[in-house]
Amino acid sequence: MDRRILLRNLLLGLPAGYIIPSVLSSCTKTDLLEMADFKGGVIVIGAGASGIYAAQLLKDQGIDVTVLEASSRVGGRILSDESFAGIPLELGAEEIHGQRSLFYDLVNYQFPERLLPEPGDNLYWLENQIRTEQFILENSDLQGAGQTLFQINESFGSYPGGDMSVLLYLNDFPVEERFMEIANAIIANEYGTSLNRMGMFALREAEAGYSSGLDGYFLREGTVWDVFSKAFSGAIDAVVLNQVVNRIDASGDQVSITTTNNQTYTADRVLVTVPITILQSGSIEVLPALPADKLASIQNISMGNGMKILLRFSAPFWKPETGSIIGGAVVPEYWVSTLGKATTAHVLTAFVMGEKADALNVLSEQQVRDTILAELQSMYPDEEVTGNCVGVLVKNWADEPFIKGAYSYPNPESTGQREILARPEHGKIFFAGEATNYNGHLATVHGAMESGYRACKEILES
Ligand SMILES: Cc1cc2nc3c(=O)[nH]c(=O)nc-3n(C[C@H](O)[C@H](O)[C@H](O)COP(=O)(O)OP(=O)(O)OC[C@H]3O[C@@H](n4cnc5c(N)ncnc54)[C@H](O)[C@@H]3O)c2cc1C
């Protein structure tokens, strides 16, 4: 997926609002935290990107840290599969968004040789034809509309109008109806949702803060979690699996944390990194009760369904230079997940979010497979698509009991809410996780890491 598709032709000035902490240029130095007074013990709830990174930073300060993870594995929304195609393929986070990002820093420090600049060309499904970006920009019939489409992001970070759904804004702009599936793919699907579920103010908030860069990278080999494991092994050693936290009691001198298997843990501070859906479910009781604006912020930030479907083919029906196919009515974006990797396997990843994920969510895996292959066959009518498909793996993130969806997105009600969500409570309860990122990097690995860093500083200074 590539949030930057729209932006790459634009000479945008990058906002100076967020400075990557120097601590992350090596991912091991902790000089920014040295002024801290805090010396107590910390429990981190959740072993995803934010929790593991925060735990490592705290351990590096000599702090006693325990990480409680509900599921039977570490990584959260970082997860890969190695058996489907004989090489690791990512079922969750995959792309490194920009060079000025903690995720990029982390990979560049641990495995620089594995950084793979986004390979291949973007192709667009437009009026029942596969088109190149160049065709859309240069074809006289499409030129005006194509320019509008590819430049529309220019206005998001400084949008001056009133709040409305992004779909309404695009209709008014106007983006022609025939381009709407492409617009949905490159704006909304990328943000984990659909155009009608996004708000202009919330999108402006995210885009104005986004500063990590417009280029995308993948891993040439290995997995995203390999990188975390190598860098943050100390934190991973501190994880206790199968600990479903259901109560945080901060009413005493210390924080008492209980789990569904009746374990009790005590610490001076707790860092909550669970997905927003878990906070919304009310499955974690907090004492004393959280203030009303915090409770409202939890409900106001949305996270919807999301899926990755891996499709393996005995032979490619796409051209060798194909990177992504964008704008499908069933699947907003397909990409060639084996491109640039040392393998003879041919795999497409279908990336589906929002309403389109809701539609697939009610189907059986066989129906999901058939529906997607029918769309691909319609895109490549002269090629054998269905008959060449030798395997399908459906990863539906809504089915993960301790995640319940893909990632948070800029829904209208979320404007201004992430900073409230991130705020510490009762002097002892701290919050991190991608949904708490209010610097424009929500919904990303580097955004989750930044939130872990912020929360660490707050704990050390508390
Ligand atoms: C399909 C998909 C594709 C993505 N692609 C990209 C990408 O290409 N690039 C990118 O940068 N980002 C991508 N992301 C987003 C990225 O994966 C997330 O933003 C990031 O991993 C979130 O980290 P986190 O620590 O905030 O949350 P999580 O990783 O969700 O970690 C939270 C942890 O809390 C645990 N937990 C929940 N409830 C409890 C409880 N009661 N007690 C204890 N533990 C609990 C969960 O099991 C989980 O392990 C993608 C996400 C998805 C789903």
Side-chain angles (χ1 to χ4, degrees):
M1 63 179 191
D2 185 6
R3 176 171 302 159
R4 305 302 115 203
I5 293 165
L6 275 177
L7 290 171
R8 69 173 176 218
N9 296 329
L10 306 175
L11 297 173
L12 288 182
L14 287 166
Y18 194 80
I19 298 165
I20 293 174
S22 65
V23 64
L24 299 164
S25 58
S26 74
C27 296
T28 54
K29 285 187 289 174
T30 50
D31 47 322
L32 277 186
L33 304 173
E34 269 168 13
M35 72 234 355
D37 294 332
F38 177 77
K39 295 285 179 234
V42 177
I43 285 178
V44 176
I45 305 176
S50 60
I52 289 297
Y53 183 53
Q56 186 68 49
L57 290 175
L58 291 167
K59 276 185 83 81
D60 289 349
Q61 294 298 304
I63 306 253
D64 179 26
V65 185
T66 302
V67 184
L68 303 179
E69 167 55 46
S71 71
S72 55
R73 63 171 184 88
V74 287
R77 281 168 274 180
I78 299 175
L79 174 67
S80 62
D81 176 276
E82 310 226 8
S83 58
F84 179 70
I87 55 160
L89 293 170
E90 300 294 347
L91 302 176
E94 181 164 359
E95 182 173 357
I96 301 153
H97 294 291
Q99 280 196 28
R100 288 184 295 285
S101 101
L102 308 186
F103 189 14
Y104 181 92
D105 260 6
L106 179 63
V107 179
N108 196 34
Y109 187 75
Q110 301 293 343
F111 298 107
E113 71 287 355
R114 293 192 186 177
L115 280 165
L116 172 68
E118 189 180 352
D121 297 336
N122 293 323
L123 301 177
Y124 297 89
W125 178 239
L126 179 66
E127 297 180 309
N128 296 323
Q129 299 279 338
I130 299 262
R131 300 295 193 192
T132 62
E133 186 172 318
Q134 194 182 6
F135 177 90
I136 293 176
L137 289 173
E138 291 178 357
N139 183 284
S140 58
D141 174 44
L142 298 172
Q143 199 174 11
Q147 294 283 6
T148 305
L149 180 66
F150 289 117
Q151 292 182 359
I152 202 159
N153 254 23
E154 199 171 9
S155 57
F156 289 153
S158 56
Y159 170 69
D163 203 8
M164 65 176 86
S165 84
V166 175
L167 180 64
L168 273 180
Y169 172 73
L170 294 182
N171 279 327
D172 285 355
F173 198 74
V175 170
E176 291 179 39
E177 185 55 38
R178 59 184 168 161
F179 283 104
M180 227 26 118
E181 290 289 8
I182 298 177
N184 182 66
I186 56 188
I187 302 168
N189 196 62
E190 180 64 27
Y191 264 114
T193 187
S194 308
L195 289 172
N196 62 334
R197 295 179 180 178
M198 297 173 80
M200 284 305 294
F201 282 6
L203 179 59
R204 177 178 66 192
E205 189 174 78
E207 289 288 321
Y210 189 91
S211 63
S212 58
L214 308 183
D215 40 355
Y217 296 85
F218 292 83
L219 291 179
R220 209 179 291 281
E221 60 181 290
T223 68
V224 172
W225 195 251
D226 287 345
V227 185
F228 271 71
S229 305
K230 184 171 177 208
F232 308 134
S233 59
I236 293 168
D237 287 347
V239 176
V240 188
L241 296 173
N242 304 308
Q243 302 300 303
V244 184
V245 171
N246 63 359
R247 193 163 193 257
I248 300 169
D249 185 351
S251 53
D253 287 344
Q254 288 202 305
V255 194
S256 169
I257 289 137
T258 50
T259 63
T260 53
N261 56 352
N262 296 319
Q263 297 293 311
T264 301
Y265 297 85
T266 310
D268 299 286
R269 304 285 185 268
V270 60
L271 173 56
V272 181
T273 76
V274 302
I276 189 78
T277 43
I278 302 302
L279 295 174
Q280 285 165 351
S281 72
S283 60
I284 303 179
E285 182 188 9
V286 181
L287 295 171
L290 294 170
D293 64 341
K294 172 76 87 184
L295 293 173
S297 74
I298 289 170
Q299 298 306 328
N300 283 336
I301 299 169
S302 294
M303 172 165 146
N305 289 329
M307 291 186 191
K308 267 188 177 179
I309 302 109
L310 305 183
L311 302 122
R312 187 170 176 204
F313 297 91
S314 54
F317 52 84
W318 54 90
K319 290 187 176 157
E321 65 274 16
T322 302
S324 294
I325 306 155
I326 293 161
V330 176
V331 174
E333 182 171 0
Y334 298 90
W335 64 80
V336 184
S337 17
T338 39
L339 189 64
K341 299 185 177 175
T343 177
T344 52
H346 309 288
V347 180
L348 289 185
T349 295
F351 187 62
V352 193
M353 297 277 151
E355 283 183 336
K356 294 184 193 297
D358 298 348
L360 295 184
N361 202 30
V362 296
L363 303 181
S364 67
E365 288 202 1
Q366 182 65 37
Q367 288 169 323
V368 169
R369 174 189 187 280
D370 294 347
T371 308
I372 292 177
L373 288 175
E375 176 168 79
L376 284 168
Q377 188 66 75
S378 74
M379 290 174 166
Y380 290 87
D382 301 329
E383 309 291 336
E384 181 52 56
V385 173
T386 309
N388 276 341
C389 182
V390 292
V392 176
L393 189 164
V394 178
K395 178 62 195 172
N396 185 352
W397 283 88
D399 290 344
E400 286 274 329
F402 304 113
I403 294 180
K404 295 181 187 290
Y407 39 80
S408 71
Y409 62 84
N411 59 301
E413 299 76 17
S414 71
T415 313
Q417 297 296 293
R418 292 174 196 274
E419 200 161 353
I420 300 170
L421 180 68
R423 187 184 67 204
E425 303 295 350
H426 309 316
K428 301 190 200 78
I429 310 178
F430 296 79
F431 294 84
E434 58 85 11
T436 71
N437 187 296
Y438 52 91
N439 295 308
H441 298 159
L442 59 138
T444 63
V445 169
H446 64 284
M449 292 175 72
E450 285 168 9
S451 76
Y453 176 80
R454 171 197 40 77
C456 255
K457 278 192 78 181
E458 290 166 351
I459 290 171
L460 292 169
E461 290 165 6
S462 67

